[in-house]
């Protein structure tokens, strides 16, 4: 059975993904908070200039909400064995993505390949990288939990 701490950490990862999805939906409206314009937002969030337009943001939001639902289902032990295997694979993909982003953030924090300016540097160093690494470890733990015991039918 999943331990309370693994369940809660899985729920935390799912919440983070859903919150990120909500941010992407917010940006599809054309609003750029917390930045002053699209360019500043792109540089602060991504470290490079990328369009913050609905055709780019809506698929990302959909992916984030889908991943959040899968991680939530894995954390709650929902579905049968097959469902848990699928949810475990999606959770593993989330873990890999977060850990790769976290490791890239460490490289950027050392000044390699980062010409985006001070906003991205500090956000990467103090927020993005630690969040990605810690939530990536939590997702990996959840994904690698093996089969979740199912209730007895007898």
């Amino acid at each position: 059975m999943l331990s309370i701490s693994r369940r809660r950490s899985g729920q935390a990862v799912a919440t983070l993904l859903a919150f990120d999805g909500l941010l992407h939906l917010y940006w599809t409206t054309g609003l750029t908070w917390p930045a002053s314009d699209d360019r500043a937002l792109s540089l602060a969030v991504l470290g490079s200039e990328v369009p913050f337009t609905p055709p780019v943001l809506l698929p990302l939001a959909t992916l984030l909400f889908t991943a959040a639902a899968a991680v939530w289902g894995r954390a709650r032990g929902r579905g049968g064995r097959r469902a848990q295997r699928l949810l475990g694979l999606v959770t593993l993909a989330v873990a890999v993505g977060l850990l790769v982003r976290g490791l890239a953030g460490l490289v950027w924090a050392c000044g390699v390949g980062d010409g985006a300016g001070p906003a991205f540097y500090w956000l990467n160093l103090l927020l993005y990288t630690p969040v990605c690494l810690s939530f990536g470890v939590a997702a990996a733990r959840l994904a690698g939990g093996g089969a979740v015991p199912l209730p007895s039918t007898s």
Side-chain angles (χ1 to χ4, degrees):
M1 185 162 230
L2 287 174
S3 72
I4 298 290
S5 65
R6 283 189 53 226
R7 182 175 290 187
R8 285 190 181 150
S9 65
Q11 291 170 344
V13 172
T15 301
L16 174 74
L17 294 168
F19 177 74
D20 196 16
L22 287 172
L23 276 176
H24 282 77
L25 284 181
Y26 172 80
W27 291 326
T28 64
T29 67
L31 298 172
T32 58
W33 177 89
S36 58
D37 58 33
D38 283 343
R39 183 178 184 279
L41 179 64
S42 183
L43 289 173
V45 172
L46 300 170
S48 62
E49 288 189 54
V50 177
F52 272 68
T53 60
V56 172
L57 296 170
L58 287 174
L60 289 173
T62 301
L63 182 66
L64 288 162
F65 289 132
T66 302
V71 171
W72 183 271
R74 178 70 174 172
R76 302 294 298 169
R78 298 293 187 228
R81 283 190 174 89
R82 284 186 181 166
Q84 277 298 304
R85 281 191 204 111
L86 177 61
L87 296 174
L89 288 173
V90 174
T91 302
L92 179 61
V94 167
V96 168
L98 287 169
L99 291 170
V100 166
R101 169 54 183 91
L103 293 174
L106 291 175
V107 171
W108 293 327
C110 294
V112 177
D114 175 31
F120 178 76
Y121 176 82
W122 288 109
L123 285 169
N124 176 62
L125 184 67
L126 300 174
L127 179 64
Y128 306 147
T129 297
V131 166
C132 287
L133 290 173
S134 59
F135 280 74
V137 168
R141 241 184 108 213
L142 181 63
V148 175
L150 298 174
S152 174
T153 57
S154 48

